[in-house]
Amino acid sequence: MEVLIPIITMGALSFLFSFGLVFAYKKLKVEEDPKIEEVSEMLPQANCGACGYSGCRAFAEAVVRGDAAANGCPVGGEEVANKVAEALGIKAGEVIKKVVRVLCRGTQDAAKNRGVYLGISTCYASHLIGGNKQCSYGCLSYGDCVRVCPFDALYMGEAGLPVVMEEKCTACGKCVDACPRNLLELHPISQEIFVFCHSLDRGPTARKVCKNACIACGICVRACPEAIVLENNLAKILDYKKIDPETIPDIEKCPTGAIGRLRKDDEG
Amino acid sequence: MELLALFISAILVNNFVLYYFLGICPFLGVSKKIDSAFSMGLAVTFVMTITAVFSWLINHLILIPYGLDYLQIVSFILVIASLVQLVEMFIRKISPPLYQALGIYLPLITTNCAIMGLALIAVLNNYSFVETVIFGVGSGLGFTLAIVLMAGIREELDLADVPEPLKGAGIALIVAGIMALAFNGFLGMIK
């Protein structure tokens, strides 16, 4: 009999708490894509992290989101890849490669300095005191993005702007977070047209501080009104897919070169 | 008056992180940004308070009357694990970004020794019900204070010229040590 008391006590307590949790789960359940669960069950559940995500569940979420390829699980191999691909209705190897793009053309020649900056030579520190350039939106050229890149996919070009090596870039996004001015963005590798400026200054001011700034003249908007708009003194590409290739020459008439094709030789 | 003294001593003098050195894992893990550090502190405070309530009730209404004192640790773990599950579900429901930011450290509150320590220290000191609750809230706030201070310092550390070998965990531990020394200055305040 002595033995029964602790058993009953603990049993009753456990039952009570699990009952509470079940009740709470019913109330607080988060609806999520059922595909995540489906894909998750197909994976080996080794939680080894070889795919680059923190576990099988995280990988399943990434595949369903479209960030990872169906064949991204090296443990499961081809068999799992095909099953996952079938469940999601995509091809096993089909994933759009993204790379990072530096969306600023404020080179040393184009963007004027505000003065001589002698502080800690990181972009973050310079940005805190307003930056070393007159333009308060452009690249600070101290290479925080270059230092943070774990794959050495960025280097500081001679013009004072970071250059991306497409073949090394894995679109991990570390540099995107590192840039205090949010100048780096991940885009599909096939995209060619970008707005290479983040300046929200009005036209005359923007032109005064940087030769290559967007002055919101609207030439690109007139060339392709379906895809490009002006927003806060800055051109913005709403939908890259809607840009008609025939209008590209007109878009590239931009007087400052703030919008246009990527220059493969010095911008990656 | 004694309750107030207990409250303040739980926050400052007997601070869980900086005096007992309990709960170091989330203290170092989630102290990179003030926002998430504060949320973590609140989550721990919540779990600590409720744990204090439940552990006292279980201890005094069930375990002691039936002479089952030896089940204290097991039953406290049961309470803590259930509560953390509850908090996890709750945070996931109301704030997915926060859920992401806290990451693995949220379920790890389960194994956070500060919470277990709280329940056991309360038993050890024979606190009454009210004292236990005050002790729980104070300890939670103490943890929050410590982790937020730490996060504030670590945000500033990003700008400091830290020697290469000490970057990351090294400098964080040194800062934590100096903070602990500073908090020891409160020792004479309450006997």
Side-chain angles (χ1 to χ4, degrees), chain A residues 196-214:
Chain A
F196 291 94
C197 185
H198 274 70
S199 170
L200 303 181
D201 282 335
R202 291 159 55 90
T205 322
R207 191 201 291 269
K208 211 166 73 188
V209 298
C210 175
K211 277 188 223 156
N212 295 343
C214 175

PDB file of all heavy atoms in Angstrom, chain A residues 196-214:
ATOM      1  N   PHE A 196      19.399  51.193 -58.669  1.00  0.00           N
ATOM      2  CA  PHE A 196      20.637  51.185 -57.891  1.00  0.00           C
ATOM      3  C   PHE A 196      20.731  52.412 -57.005  1.00  0.00           C
ATOM      4  O   PHE A 196      21.716  53.152 -57.040  1.00  0.00           O
ATOM      5  CB  PHE A 196      21.855  51.130 -58.820  1.00  0.00           C
ATOM      6  CG  PHE A 196      21.992  49.820 -59.526  1.00  0.00           C
ATOM      7  CD1 PHE A 196      21.470  49.642 -60.792  1.00  0.00           C
ATOM      8  CD2 PHE A 196      22.619  48.752 -58.913  1.00  0.00           C
ATOM      9  CE1 PHE A 196      21.586  48.429 -61.436  1.00  0.00           C
ATOM     10  CE2 PHE A 196      22.738  47.544 -59.557  1.00  0.00           C
ATOM     11  CZ  PHE A 196      22.216  47.371 -60.823  1.00  0.00           C
ATOM     12  N   CYS A 197      19.699  52.676 -56.244  1.00  0.00           N
ATOM     13  CA  CYS A 197      19.720  53.849 -55.388  1.00  0.00           C
ATOM     14  C   CYS A 197      18.666  53.668 -54.309  1.00  0.00           C
ATOM     15  O   CYS A 197      17.628  53.045 -54.542  1.00  0.00           O
ATOM     16  CB  CYS A 197      19.417  55.107 -56.201  1.00  0.00           C
ATOM     17  SG  CYS A 197      19.565  56.603 -55.205  1.00  0.00           S
ATOM     18  N   HIS A 198      18.949  54.162 -53.131  1.00  0.00           N
ATOM     19  CA  HIS A 198      17.975  54.103 -52.045  1.00  0.00           C
ATOM     20  C   HIS A 198      17.636  55.501 -51.537  1.00  0.00           C
ATOM     21  O   HIS A 198      17.014  55.645 -50.498  1.00  0.00           O
ATOM     22  CB  HIS A 198      18.520  53.275 -50.885  1.00  0.00           C
ATOM     23  CG  HIS A 198      18.255  51.810 -51.043  1.00  0.00           C
ATOM     24  ND1 HIS A 198      18.877  51.056 -51.989  1.00  0.00           N
ATOM     25  CD2 HIS A 198      17.422  50.963 -50.385  1.00  0.00           C
ATOM     26  CE1 HIS A 198      18.450  49.805 -51.904  1.00  0.00           C
ATOM     27  NE2 HIS A 198      17.564  49.733 -50.938  1.00  0.00           N
ATOM     28  N   SER A 199      18.105  56.530 -52.240  1.00  0.00           N
ATOM     29  CA  SER A 199      17.978  57.881 -51.722  1.00  0.00           C
ATOM     30  C   SER A 199      16.537  58.376 -51.786  1.00  0.00           C
ATOM     31  O   SER A 199      15.888  58.321 -52.828  1.00  0.00           O
ATOM     32  CB  SER A 199      18.865  58.830 -52.529  1.00  0.00           C
ATOM     33  OG  SER A 199      18.548  60.152 -52.174  1.00  0.00           O
ATOM     34  N   LEU A 200      16.038  58.859 -50.636  1.00  0.00           N
ATOM     35  CA  LEU A 200      14.700  59.429 -50.604  1.00  0.00           C
ATOM     36  C   LEU A 200      14.763  60.955 -50.661  1.00  0.00           C
ATOM     37  O   LEU A 200      13.758  61.630 -50.463  1.00  0.00           O
ATOM     38  CB  LEU A 200      13.949  58.973 -49.335  1.00  0.00           C
ATOM     39  CG  LEU A 200      13.830  57.458 -49.157  1.00  0.00           C
ATOM     40  CD1 LEU A 200      13.054  57.136 -47.889  1.00  0.00           C
ATOM     41  CD2 LEU A 200      13.135  56.805 -50.346  1.00  0.00           C
ATOM     42  N   ASP A 201      15.985  61.490 -50.911  1.00  0.00           N
ATOM     43  CA  ASP A 201      16.119  62.941 -51.029  1.00  0.00           C
ATOM     44  C   ASP A 201      15.369  63.432 -52.254  1.00  0.00           C
ATOM     45  O   ASP A 201      15.198  62.710 -53.231  1.00  0.00           O
ATOM     46  CB  ASP A 201      17.605  63.312 -51.179  1.00  0.00           C
ATOM     47  CG  ASP A 201      18.325  63.264 -49.853  1.00  0.00           C
ATOM     48  OD1 ASP A 201      17.656  63.412 -48.828  1.00  0.00           O
ATOM     49  OD2 ASP A 201      19.552  63.047 -49.863  1.00  0.00           O
ATOM     50  N   ARG A 202      14.961  64.704 -52.210  1.00  0.00           N
ATOM     51  CA  ARG A 202      14.330  65.280 -53.393  1.00  0.00           C
ATOM     52  C   ARG A 202      15.382  65.459 -54.479  1.00  0.00           C
ATOM     53  O   ARG A 202      16.577  65.572 -54.196  1.00  0.00           O
ATOM     54  CB  ARG A 202      13.692  66.618 -53.041  1.00  0.00           C
ATOM     55  CG  ARG A 202      12.477  66.469 -52.121  1.00  0.00           C
ATOM     56  CD  ARG A 202      12.193  67.746 -51.400  1.00  0.00           C
ATOM     57  NE  ARG A 202      12.026  68.840 -52.355  1.00  0.00           N
ATOM     58  CZ  ARG A 202      10.849  69.164 -52.876  1.00  0.00           C
ATOM     59  NH1 ARG A 202       9.775  68.513 -52.537  1.00  0.00           N
ATOM     60  NH2 ARG A 202      10.749  70.155 -53.729  1.00  0.00           N
ATOM     61  N   GLY A 203      14.895  65.459 -55.726  1.00  0.00           N
ATOM     62  CA  GLY A 203      15.791  65.495 -56.881  1.00  0.00           C
ATOM     63  C   GLY A 203      17.020  66.363 -56.754  1.00  0.00           C
ATOM     64  O   GLY A 203      18.150  65.855 -56.836  1.00  0.00           O
ATOM     65  N   PRO A 204      16.868  67.693 -56.555  1.00  0.00           N
ATOM     66  CA  PRO A 204      18.047  68.572 -56.522  1.00  0.00           C
ATOM     67  C   PRO A 204      19.055  68.164 -55.435  1.00  0.00           C
ATOM     68  O   PRO A 204      20.257  68.131 -55.691  1.00  0.00           O
ATOM     69  CB  PRO A 204      17.444  69.945 -56.202  1.00  0.00           C
ATOM     70  CG  PRO A 204      16.014  69.856 -56.627  1.00  0.00           C
ATOM     71  CD  PRO A 204      15.607  68.437 -56.443  1.00  0.00           C
ATOM     72  N   THR A 205      18.557  67.842 -54.252  1.00  0.00           N
ATOM     73  CA  THR A 205      19.460  67.430 -53.168  1.00  0.00           C
ATOM     74  C   THR A 205      20.184  66.147 -53.549  1.00  0.00           C
ATOM     75  O   THR A 205      21.405  66.014 -53.374  1.00  0.00           O
ATOM     76  CB  THR A 205      18.660  67.167 -51.873  1.00  0.00           C
ATOM     77  OG1 THR A 205      17.621  68.130 -51.781  1.00  0.00           O
ATOM     78  CG2 THR A 205      19.540  67.210 -50.661  1.00  0.00           C
ATOM     79  N   ALA A 206      19.418  65.187 -54.065  1.00  0.00           N
ATOM     80  CA  ALA A 206      20.000  63.897 -54.413  1.00  0.00           C
ATOM     81  C   ALA A 206      21.110  64.094 -55.445  1.00  0.00           C
ATOM     82  O   ALA A 206      22.190  63.522 -55.335  1.00  0.00           O
ATOM     83  CB  ALA A 206      18.924  62.970 -54.956  1.00  0.00           C
ATOM     84  N   ARG A 207      20.849  64.945 -56.438  1.00  0.00           N
ATOM     85  CA  ARG A 207      21.833  65.163 -57.493  1.00  0.00           C
ATOM     86  C   ARG A 207      23.086  65.840 -56.926  1.00  0.00           C
ATOM     87  O   ARG A 207      24.209  65.560 -57.339  1.00  0.00           O
ATOM     88  CB  ARG A 207      21.227  66.034 -58.593  1.00  0.00           C
ATOM     89  CG  ARG A 207      22.081  66.084 -59.846  1.00  0.00           C
ATOM     90  CD  ARG A 207      21.734  67.297 -60.676  1.00  0.00           C
ATOM     91  NE  ARG A 207      20.406  67.202 -61.265  1.00  0.00           N
ATOM     92  CZ  ARG A 207      20.188  66.684 -62.478  1.00  0.00           C
ATOM     93  NH1 ARG A 207      21.173  66.209 -63.172  1.00  0.00           N
ATOM     94  NH2 ARG A 207      18.971  66.659 -62.972  1.00  0.00           N
ATOM     95  N   LYS A 208      22.871  66.742 -55.950  1.00  0.00           N
ATOM     96  CA  LYS A 208      24.006  67.472 -55.388  1.00  0.00           C
ATOM     97  C   LYS A 208      24.960  66.541 -54.629  1.00  0.00           C
ATOM     98  O   LYS A 208      26.176  66.679 -54.706  1.00  0.00           O
ATOM     99  CB  LYS A 208      23.488  68.562 -54.424  1.00  0.00           C
ATOM    100  CG  LYS A 208      24.377  69.786 -54.353  1.00  0.00           C
ATOM    101  CD  LYS A 208      23.672  70.945 -53.672  1.00  0.00           C
ATOM    102  CE  LYS A 208      23.539  70.737 -52.200  1.00  0.00           C
ATOM    103  NZ  LYS A 208      22.696  71.742 -51.543  1.00  0.00           N
ATOM    104  N   VAL A 209      24.411  65.558 -53.899  1.00  0.00           N
ATOM    105  CA  VAL A 209      25.280  64.727 -53.070  1.00  0.00           C
ATOM    106  C   VAL A 209      25.839  63.521 -53.811  1.00  0.00           C
ATOM    107  O   VAL A 209      26.845  62.951 -53.408  1.00  0.00           O
ATOM    108  CB  VAL A 209      24.563  64.256 -51.780  1.00  0.00           C
ATOM    109  CG1 VAL A 209      24.189  65.453 -50.929  1.00  0.00           C
ATOM    110  CG2 VAL A 209      23.347  63.420 -52.096  1.00  0.00           C
ATOM    111  N   CYS A 210      25.198  63.114 -54.901  1.00  0.00           N
ATOM    112  CA  CYS A 210      25.706  61.932 -55.622  1.00  0.00           C
ATOM    113  C   CYS A 210      25.311  62.012 -57.087  1.00  0.00           C
ATOM    114  O   CYS A 210      24.145  62.220 -57.401  1.00  0.00           O
ATOM    115  CB  CYS A 210      25.163  60.655 -54.993  1.00  0.00           C
ATOM    116  SG  CYS A 210      25.606  59.155 -55.877  1.00  0.00           S
ATOM    117  N   LYS A 211      26.290  61.818 -57.960  1.00  0.00           N
ATOM    118  CA  LYS A 211      26.021  61.918 -59.398  1.00  0.00           C
ATOM    119  C   LYS A 211      25.134  60.799 -59.897  1.00  0.00           C
ATOM    120  O   LYS A 211      24.477  60.942 -60.914  1.00  0.00           O
ATOM    121  CB  LYS A 211      27.353  61.854 -60.157  1.00  0.00           C
ATOM    122  CG  LYS A 211      28.067  63.179 -60.234  1.00  0.00           C
ATOM    123  CD  LYS A 211      29.268  63.014 -61.171  1.00  0.00           C
ATOM    124  CE  LYS A 211      30.477  63.710 -60.584  1.00  0.00           C
ATOM    125  NZ  LYS A 211      31.728  63.153 -61.083  1.00  0.00           N
ATOM    126  N   ASN A 212      25.153  59.674 -59.185  1.00  0.00           N
ATOM    127  CA  ASN A 212      24.415  58.512 -59.686  1.00  0.00           C
ATOM    128  C   ASN A 212      23.105  58.269 -58.939  1.00  0.00           C
ATOM    129  O   ASN A 212      22.572  57.173 -58.975  1.00  0.00           O
ATOM    130  CB  ASN A 212      25.289  57.261 -59.589  1.00  0.00           C
ATOM    131  CG  ASN A 212      26.495  57.345 -60.489  1.00  0.00           C
ATOM    132  OD1 ASN A 212      26.536  58.168 -61.394  1.00  0.00           O
ATOM    133  ND2 ASN A 212      27.484  56.512 -60.229  1.00  0.00           N
ATOM    134  N   ALA A 213      22.609  59.293 -58.240  1.00  0.00           N
ATOM    135  CA  ALA A 213      21.402  59.082 -57.449  1.00  0.00           C
ATOM    136  C   ALA A 213      20.150  59.175 -58.297  1.00  0.00           C
ATOM    137  O   ALA A 213      20.132  59.821 -59.344  1.00  0.00           O
ATOM    138  CB  ALA A 213      21.343  60.112 -56.329  1.00  0.00           C
ATOM    139  N   CYS A 214      19.097  58.536 -57.830  1.00  0.00           N
ATOM    140  CA  CYS A 214      17.797  58.656 -58.483  1.00  0.00           C
ATOM    141  C   CYS A 214      17.218  60.024 -58.145  1.00  0.00           C
ATOM    142  O   CYS A 214      17.100  60.391 -56.976  1.00  0.00           O
ATOM    143  CB  CYS A 214      16.842  57.573 -57.995  1.00  0.00           C
ATOM    144  SG  CYS A 214      15.182  57.769 -58.650  1.00  0.00           S
TER     145      CYS A 214
END
